[in-house]
Amino acid sequence: MSSAAQPQSVRHVAEHCGASLKGDGSVLVCAIASIASAKPGDLVFAEDEVKLDQALRSHATAVIAGEFAAAAHPSKPTLIARDPKLAFARVAALFGQVESHEGCHESAQIHLSAQIGEHTSIAAGVVIEEYCHIGNGTAIGANSVIGARVIVGQNCRVGPNVTLHSGTELRDRVVVQAGTVLGSTGFGYVRDESGRYQLFPQIGRLVVEDDVEIGANCTIDRGALDATVIRRGVKIDNMVHVGHNVEVGEDVVIAAQTGISGSSRIGNGAVIGGQVGLGDHVEIEAGVILGSGSGVLSHKVVRGKGIVFWGTPARPLRQYLKELATLARLSQKKAK
Amino acid sequence: MSSAAQPQSVRHVAEHCGASLKGDGSVLVCAIASIASAKPGDLVFAEDEVKLDQALRSHATAVIAGEFAAAAHPSKPTLIARDPKLAFARVAALFGQVESHEGCHESAQIHLSAQIGEHTSIAAGVVIEEYCHIGNGTAIGANSVIGARVIVGQNCRVGPNVTLHSGTELRDRVVVQAGTVLGSTGFGYVRDESGRYQLFPQIGRLVVEDDVEIGANCTIDRGALDATVIRRGVKIDNMVHVGHNVEVGEDVVIAAQTGISGSSRIGNGAVIGGQVGLGDHVEIEAGVILGSGSGVLSHKVVRGKGIVFWGTPARPLRQYLKELATLARLSQKKAK
Amino acid sequence: MSSAAQPQSVRHVAEHCGASLKGDGSVLVCAIASIASAKPGDLVFAEDEVKLDQALRSHATAVIAGEFAAAAHPSKPTLIARDPKLAFARVAALFGQVESHEGCHESAQIHLSAQIGEHTSIAAGVVIEEYCHIGNGTAIGANSVIGARVIVGQNCRVGPNVTLHSGTELRDRVVVQAGTVLGSTGFGYVRDESGRYQLFPQIGRLVVEDDVEIGANCTIDRGALDATVIRRGVKIDNMVHVGHNVEVGEDVVIAAQTGISGSSRIGNGAVIGGQVGLGDHVEIEAGVILGSGSGVLSHKVVRGKGIVFWGTPARPLRQYLKELATLARLSQKKAK
């Protein structure tokens, strides 16, 4: 992936990520890599002394390591950072490959009334309907469909085969991976006199704030009458479902295949594991940690910043483990 | 969303939904809205006295409420309905926005042998393969793919980026949301002499009857040799998986991320929560209610109209709760 | 589906699948079918004596059955195979319909630098980016998107609306069903000084080896720095999620809606049920069987070829059942 990147001096890289430098700062690197795959010109990341030793014996040109390396005498230029993983993440941006090409592919179908910003990339087969607004620096992947009146902010990255329905607004620097559907019709029905289901109106909005990143093949429904809101900095893994009228607080993390039913609220900084299920009208308070596979029943409130919950219905990890142990013990006793 | 809708008198709206009217019937409304977002010209819905009070103090022009409002002296025209939520759902249709444009976009690729009905809307980038039949009044969203010989009935709404494989038939008024795949190849294998898996033939059909509504990013497999059948009026939420040869009965409701393995049968009117898992060859009898996250093992039968089941293996809610309480009590006792 | 298939003599069919033949070998068949839907010219499959009886009374022209039929005097030509289901699967290939048309649709957008093999089928609306390689005999379904530098081997079948991201390599005879996303960005973040999440580099590869078959609407992430690897012969059902750096061993079977978190390893021949959840860095040893809905916590090892595990945390089936029984008994006792 290094083909497009500019070589950088190790000294420049160290300054970029706030690391101190051991060794020759004039050496050039042009890509990041794993220790196993490193080639000359690559910069690698060593999280402990064993990895540092492997890194120094690899083909890599330079290494980022933690303060444990300060006393060593490394044989390659070494950047020493308080949080080497974070430093490595920041350095990656220096060498990021440019996959999107500025401009609009001739096969894209863009309505005349749509407003397309500068330095945008609209790939082949994209469909942009009437009165859309696409902000400066944003890239839309091939064969994605942007419904009428959708607003996409600046420097967003929308993957291929994505659908953004009418009623959706993405703020700035939002990432939406391939196959994801945003602003879909929520699942709300009323039974009529004959017992058949009639759709309750689903005409609200979906607002996705700055710096939100959403994985592949997710679905987030628009609000029924008001808005579904995904607040600043939320990170969502693949195949997550978010129902109508949900509000997800700032910097919440949600792992793969979790489902959040309608009208639930998740407080800032909560961490939701994979395959978690939240019923409707649930409230998860700020900072709660829900273990993978746990479930919360409709209308329940889960509180306790930093407390880990597990199981269905979700209960504090300590209690959950005690119950597991009790059950194992009792079933063994019976067997004797 | 009110831009395209025709203003209607409150009297006309009341007649449309079978409500009685208090106040000036000549007032015009042109959209529905939530109480919080209502603007002049909007009609809102109040489900109880607290909401009615909020509605009357909002910017809305008129209100739909239940019979609890009959004795009140509302300050705005008020429609009084026995089931105000249902009335509101019916009124919504009066103001529904028209998102699809009649006609066939020039970028759509339609095989010459395909039959396209009247008043259809075929959006940009749609691919319709040979011998398809698209019924009158049906809309196909952008970049969807309709395989050879697929039949789509009248007044269907197929969202963007949908795939309908060969072997699929949609009857009338079927809704399929974005990203959904219908008629995919089922998961059935036979091991050969060397232990490798060979696909068992998956050449059956998928029939989706009238008034079925299917959410976004779902998958429903075609039958192996016979048909997978989704009966009239079934409502399916996002990311639901239905395996080959399954039969889902009339008016069944299935919430998000539920999976139904091959050859299972669900009786009419059953209600299946979110993230439920059914093994293969399961039978869920008519009217059974399966709580979210519950699981049913292969070849099991779950019976009892109106009975709520929970847990894995699914058991009556009462028993499930008793077991949870017993386990909590025993593990506390041990701790002392 | 039989329209395109060449009629074959029953004798030829028997030789193709290694079955012995009873009756007139010169009779012609031209399709396979279920017993219920069989028409004249169809070959059907009978797995036991009841089904054989039904088959002989059906409209089918010939039957494949097991050795239980050897003593019978069937009224139709009958192929007798040791494993009739496997024989039937093999015969199906003789009559397989050809859905893809050789050639490249004029609406496909193929970068000039891409290498397209012979006898390929590139459907309408496909986008193939720079430096891709598409092997001989491979078919790409309509509106799929193949990112820059992706390699697709020979005789692969990629469905419609699929996304193959840069970094992905498919070997030979790989099947990818509609809506699936391969090579997506993994879910790995580092918190910065202000507590916000920064993406850790996700620039590794995804390698999918020979004969792998992947269902619809799945997601498989590329490695962070190294590779995610799906080994030869793996079969994956719909809506399965595989995280970054995972390795899935040869001939592993994974049922629908299962999720495998980052850096986990699954040994050869393991069988993973539906809706299973694996935490990160899990190791499932070769031949383990994980029942549907079971869960394995991060960093755990599950061992035991042929042993069935169930529940969360996953434990041997025998223990799981004993615990269920104990809990049911204790909660009943309490109720008295």
Side-chain angles (χ1 to χ4, degrees):
Chain A
M1 311 305 293
S2 57
S3 55
Q6 282 280 101
Q8 311 273 351
S9 75
V10 169
R11 179 171 299 113
H12 175 73
V13 172
E15 284 163 5
H16 177 78
C17 68
S20 61
L21 175 63
K22 284 194 148 189
D24 180 357
S26 68
V27 167
L28 296 178
V29 287
C30 57
I32 59 168
S34 70
I35 294 170
S37 68
K39 302 180 302 295
D42 285 345
L43 176 71
V44 299
F45 157 64
E47 60 196 324
D48 56 30
E49 296 191 358
V50 174
K51 293 291 183 183
L52 177 60
D53 189 56
Q54 292 173 4
L56 294 175
R57 286 184 289 108
S58 77
H59 292 111
T61 289
V63 186
I64 291 184
E67 286 167 353
F68 63 83
H73 299 285
S75 56
K76 299 174 192 278
T78 299
L79 288 69
I80 295 176
R82 205 159 55 90
D83 184 341
K85 202 171 175 189
L86 176 60
F88 192 65
R90 284 190 167 140
V91 166
L94 277 182
F95 302 113
Q97 65 272 24
V98 183
E99 286 295 343
S100 55
H101 307 284
E102 209 173 300
C104 176
H105 194 278
E106 58 180 10
S107 67
Q109 304 291 334
I110 301 179
H111 196 274
L112 283 174
S113 63
Q115 294 178 27
I116 311 295
E118 298 186 340
H119 308 296
T120 52
S121 165
I122 312 290
V126 167
V127 177
I128 298 183
E129 298 182 353
E130 58 266 44
Y131 304 111
C132 285
H133 179 99
I134 309 291
N136 296 337
T138 283
I140 310 288
N143 285 344
S144 284
V145 178
I146 318 289
R149 294 177 300 281
V150 165
I151 297 168
V152 180
Q154 300 193 10
N155 298 309
C156 293
R157 294 281 168 276
V158 174
N161 285 317
V162 165
T163 302
L164 305 184
H165 281 286
S166 290
T168 300
E169 176 182 349
L170 310 185
R171 301 274 165 82
D172 295 340
R173 296 175 304 281
V174 170
V175 174
V176 182
Q177 288 204 57
T180 283
V181 177
L182 300 186
S184 35
T185 299
F187 197 67
Y189 289 91
V190 198
R191 295 195 91 151
D192 67 14
E193 301 80 358
S194 67
R196 298 192 178 182
Y197 291 93
Q198 306 291 336
L199 187 68
F200 190 79
Q202 305 289 328
I203 59 169
R205 295 167 66 230
L206 166 62
V207 177
V208 180
E209 295 188 351
D210 292 349
D211 300 307
V212 169
E213 301 184 16
I214 301 171
N217 279 351
C218 292
T219 59
I220 307 184
D221 290 340
R222 68 194 302 183
L225 297 174
D226 292 305
T228 304
V229 183
I230 313 295
R231 297 238 175 266
R232 185 197 51 71
V234 169
K235 310 300 180 192
I236 295 179
D237 201 351
N238 296 340
M239 276 194 225
V240 168
H241 162 70
V242 179
H244 53 190
N245 305 334
V246 167
E247 181 178 339
V248 181
E250 295 187 355
D251 294 315
V252 166
V253 170
I254 305 176
Q257 295 180 320
T258 282
I260 301 172
S261 303
S263 302
S264 288
R265 300 167 69 91
I266 302 180
N268 293 352
V271 176
I272 315 288
Q275 294 183 337
V276 169
L278 304 189
D280 57 285
H281 295 86
V282 159
E283 187 174 349
I284 306 296
E285 290 199 349
V288 162
I289 300 167
L290 279 173
S292 292
S294 53
V296 180
L297 304 191
S298 295
H299 293 274
K300 293 289 180 189
V301 180
V302 180
R303 40 173 64 102
K305 186 174 175 173
I307 297 181
V308 179
F309 292 80
W310 214 275
T312 302
R315 40 210 190 271
L317 178 58
R318 191 195 165 109
Q319 181 188 340
Y320 176 73
L321 292 176
K322 210 191 289 175
E323 291 181 12
L324 279 180
T326 300
L327 185 55
R329 184 176 46 80
L330 291 171
S331 68
Q332 275 183 318
K333 193 186 290 178
K334 167 72 187 166
K336 279 171 198 169
Chain B
M1 310 305 294
S2 56
S3 55
Q6 281 282 100
Q8 311 272 352
S9 74
V10 169
R11 179 171 300 114
H12 175 73
V13 172
E15 284 163 6
H16 177 79
C17 68
S20 61
L21 174 63
K22 284 196 150 188
D24 180 358
S26 68
V27 167
L28 296 178
V29 288
C30 57
I32 58 167
S34 69
I35 295 171
S37 68
K39 300 181 304 295
D42 285 345
L43 176 71
V44 299
F45 156 64
E47 60 194 324
D48 56 31
E49 295 191 358
V50 173
K51 292 289 183 186
L52 177 60
D53 189 54
Q54 292 172 6
L56 294 175
R57 287 184 288 109
S58 77
H59 292 112
T61 290
V63 185
I64 292 184
E67 286 166 355
F68 62 84
H73 299 285
S75 54
K76 299 175 194 274
T78 300
L79 287 69
I80 295 175
R82 206 157 56 89
D83 185 341
K85 203 172 175 187
L86 176 60
F88 193 65
R90 284 191 168 140
V91 166
L94 277 183
F95 302 112
Q97 65 273 25
V98 183
E99 287 294 343
S100 55
H101 307 284
E102 208 174 301
C104 175
H105 195 279
E106 59 179 10
S107 67
Q109 304 291 333
I110 301 179
H111 195 274
L112 282 174
S113 62
Q115 293 178 27
I116 311 294
E118 298 185 341
H119 308 296
T120 52
S121 164
I122 313 290
V126 166
V127 178
I128 297 183
E129 298 182 352
E130 57 266 43
Y131 304 111
C132 285
H133 178 99
I134 309 291
N136 296 338
T138 283
I140 311 288
N143 286 344
S144 284
V145 177
I146 317 290
R149 293 176 299 283
V150 165
I151 297 168
V152 179
Q154 299 193 10
N155 298 310
C156 293
R157 294 281 169 276
V158 175
N161 285 318
V162 165
T163 302
L164 306 184
H165 281 288
S166 291
T168 300
E169 175 183 350
L170 310 185
R171 301 274 164 82
D172 296 340
R173 297 175 303 281
V174 171
V175 174
V176 182
Q177 288 203 58
T180 282
V181 177
L182 300 186
S184 35
T185 300
F187 196 68
Y189 289 91
V190 198
R191 296 195 89 151
D192 68 14
E193 302 79 357
S194 66
R196 297 191 180 184
Y197 291 93
Q198 306 290 337
L199 187 67
F200 190 79
Q202 305 289 328
I203 60 168
R205 295 169 66 232
L206 166 61
V207 177
V208 179
E209 295 187 352
D210 292 349
D211 300 307
V212 170
E213 301 184 15
I214 300 171
N217 280 351
C218 292
T219 61
I220 307 184
D221 290 340
R222 69 196 298 183
L225 297 173
D226 291 306
T228 304
V229 183
I230 313 294
R231 297 241 176 262
R232 185 198 52 71
V234 170
K235 310 300 180 193
I236 296 179
D237 200 352
N238 296 340
M239 277 193 223
V240 168
H241 163 69
V242 179
H244 53 193
N245 305 335
V246 167
E247 180 178 339
V248 180
E250 294 187 356
D251 294 314
V252 166
V253 170
I254 305 175
Q257 296 181 319
T258 282
I260 301 172
S261 303
S263 302
S264 289
R265 299 168 69 91
I266 302 180
N268 292 352
V271 176
I272 316 289
Q275 295 184 336
V276 169
L278 304 189
D280 56 284
H281 294 86
V282 160
E283 187 175 349
I284 306 295
E285 290 199 348
V288 163
I289 300 167
L290 278 173
S292 291
S294 55
V296 180
L297 305 190
S298 295
H299 294 274
K300 294 289 180 188
V301 180
V302 179
R303 41 173 64 101
K305 185 174 176 175
I307 297 182
V308 180
F309 291 80
W310 213 275
T312 303
R315 40 210 190 272
L317 178 58
R318 191 194 163 108
Q319 180 188 341
Y320 176 73
L321 292 176
K322 209 190 290 175
E323 291 181 14
L324 278 180
T326 300
L327 185 54
R329 185 176 45 80
L330 291 170
S331 68
Q332 275 182 317
K333 193 186 292 179
K334 167 72 184 165
K336 279 169 198 173
Chain C
M1 310 303 295
S2 58
S3 54
Q6 282 280 101
Q8 311 271 351
S9 75
V10 169
R11 180 173 298 113
H12 175 73
V13 172
E15 285 164 4
H16 177 79
C17 67
S20 61
L21 175 64
K22 284 196 149 186
D24 181 356
S26 68
V27 167
L28 296 179
V29 287
C30 58
I32 59 168
S34 69
I35 294 170
S37 67
K39 302 181 303 296
D42 286 344
L43 176 72
V44 299
F45 156 64
E47 60 195 324
D48 56 30
E49 296 192 358
V50 173
K51 292 289 183 186
L52 177 60
D53 189 54
Q54 292 171 4
L56 294 175
R57 287 184 288 109
S58 76
H59 292 113
T61 290
V63 186
I64 292 185
E67 286 166 352
F68 63 84
H73 299 284
S75 55
K76 299 175 194 274
T78 299
L79 288 68
I80 295 175
R82 204 158 55 89
D83 184 341
K85 201 171 175 189
L86 176 60
F88 192 65
R90 284 190 167 138
V91 166
L94 277 182
F95 301 112
Q97 65 272 28
V98 182
E99 287 293 343
S100 55
H101 306 284
E102 209 173 301
C104 176
H105 195 278
E106 59 180 9
S107 68
Q109 304 291 333
I110 302 180
H111 196 274
L112 283 174
S113 62
Q115 294 178 27
I116 310 294
E118 297 186 340
H119 309 296
T120 52
S121 164
I122 313 289
V126 167
V127 178
I128 298 183
E129 298 182 353
E130 58 265 44
Y131 304 111
C132 284
H133 178 99
I134 308 292
N136 295 338
T138 282
I140 311 287
N143 286 344
S144 284
V145 178
I146 318 290
R149 293 177 300 281
V150 164
I151 297 168
V152 180
Q154 298 193 12
N155 298 310
C156 293
R157 294 280 170 276
V158 175
N161 285 317
V162 166
T163 302
L164 305 183
H165 281 287
S166 290
T168 300
E169 175 182 350
L170 310 185
R171 301 273 164 81
D172 295 341
R173 296 175 303 282
V174 171
V175 174
V176 182
Q177 288 204 56
T180 282
V181 178
L182 300 185
S184 36
T185 300
F187 197 67
Y189 289 92
V190 199
R191 296 194 89 152
D192 67 15
E193 301 82 356
S194 66
R196 298 192 179 181
Y197 291 93
Q198 306 290 337
L199 187 68
F200 190 79
Q202 305 290 329
I203 59 169
R205 294 168 65 231
L206 166 62
V207 177
V208 179
E209 294 187 353
D210 291 350
D211 300 307
V212 170
E213 301 184 16
I214 301 171
N217 280 351
C218 292
T219 60
I220 307 183
D221 291 339
R222 69 197 298 184
L225 297 173
D226 290 307
T228 303
V229 182
I230 313 294
R231 297 240 176 264
R232 184 199 52 70
V234 170
K235 310 300 180 193
I236 295 179
D237 200 351
N238 295 340
M239 278 194 225
V240 168
H241 163 70
V242 180
H244 52 190
N245 304 334
V246 167
E247 181 178 339
V248 180
E250 294 187 355
D251 294 315
V252 166
V253 170
I254 305 176
Q257 296 181 319
T258 283
I260 302 172
S261 303
S263 302
S264 288
R265 300 167 68 91
I266 302 180
N268 293 351
V271 175
I272 316 287
Q275 296 183 335
V276 169
L278 304 188
D280 56 285
H281 294 85
V282 159
E283 188 175 347
I284 306 296
E285 291 198 347
V288 163
I289 300 167
L290 278 173
S292 291
S294 55
V296 180
L297 305 191
S298 295
H299 293 275
K300 294 289 180 188
V301 180
V302 180
R303 41 174 63 102
K305 186 175 175 173
I307 297 181
V308 179
F309 292 80
W310 213 275
T312 303
R315 41 209 189 273
L317 178 59
R318 190 195 164 106
Q319 181 188 339
Y320 176 73
L321 292 176
K322 210 191 290 175
E323 291 181 12
L324 277 180
T326 300
L327 185 55
R329 184 174 46 80
L330 290 171
S331 68
Q332 276 182 314
K333 192 186 292 180
K334 166 71 185 165
K336 279 170 197 168

